[in-house]
Amino acid sequence: MSVQKIVVCEDFRESLSGVLSGIPYDRLFVLVDEHTSACCLPLLSGIVEADAPVVLRIGAGDAHKTLETLSQVWAGLSNGGASRHSLLLNVGGGMVTDLGGFAAATFKRGIRFINIPTTLLAMVDAAVGGKTGINFNGLKNEIGAFALADCVLVSTEFLRTLDRENLFSGYAEMLKHGLISDEKHWAELLRFDLSSVDYGQLKDLVAQSIRIKEEVVAQDPHEQGIRKALNLGHTVGHAFESLALERGCPVLHGYAVAWGIICELYYSAVRLGFPTDRLHQTVSFIKAHYGTFDFDCTHYERLYELMTHDKKNEAGRINFTLLRNVGDIAINQQATKEDIFEMLDFYRETN
Ligand code: GLY
């Protein structure tokens, strides 16, 4: 995989014009969902009109990250006269950048695309690093491909209109990046005042967070080794997310990851000596900002079963990423069922 250009914009419109003028294409397509069509598409006006872009609109939310939607996008590209030299702009959250990236990667065996993430989660995670795909057969991101956008244009101006829950959801992935990188960045993230956001400071933190992810991805684009560091909090987090979905009250991905981090840092402390003061500082921050996931010991078996289906598992073993300390990563760690129940006990005891 080649290198992905990432631009953290000072002036979004100027950056977009500059990026578009540097890429040869015959026809421009813009993919939006029903939210970004209304809120974000107007920000492209005056820049893309000369290209008479074809706008492709899809439904918003994970429920639309399907083969049917993908097929609509392929049809829109085909009916709009896209060739192998056309360019697709994906304007939206992670669902749009994942699905649009996959549509671009597969249409005529691959056309160029640019990601313009409009949520914090997409800026620091989904839109960066080349994972694209859709949900299938009841499983998240079951079908997909590694495909890098030609450019990811990050404008934190979009965050000014993002709701609090989605801001916090993306921030959980930033916290994860802090934990896997270095103590200074981790401490900065814990100090940041999420109740009264300083957008200038947030922009710097976002830029740093993206750099951390990029560095990891550059070392291991296809997740054979160190990229698994990015899975911290996700083994338990995905099980929480799936249980919440089964109970009919879905939770945002980043919330589930934050709660998963509590469990996995606890196990890091027990198993690898992760410092308990840092564990408690992180747990306090998460509890204060993300509330608690409500479950009791009658849910343990189901949570364990959900973890056994995690696609990160290898040779039938549940795979964890743990930390010896902030920035000191241990991938491919296993835990027994008893260990997992102990992590869940810890989570509930800290309520
Ligand atoms: N979201 C984790 C990764 O991109 O590997």
Side-chain angles (χ1 to χ4, degrees), residues 35 100 270 286 294:
H35 297 320
V270 169
I286 292 174
D294 188 26

Side-chain angles (χ1 to χ4, degrees), residues 53-83:
V54 177
V55 177
L56 307 173
R57 287 186 178 80
I58 56 176
D62 214 56
H64 291 99
K65 199 175 170 184
T66 59
L67 191 55
E68 290 70 36
T69 310
L70 177 66
S71 166
Q72 273 173 36
V73 176
W74 281 330
L77 290 168
S78 186
N79 297 335
S83 77

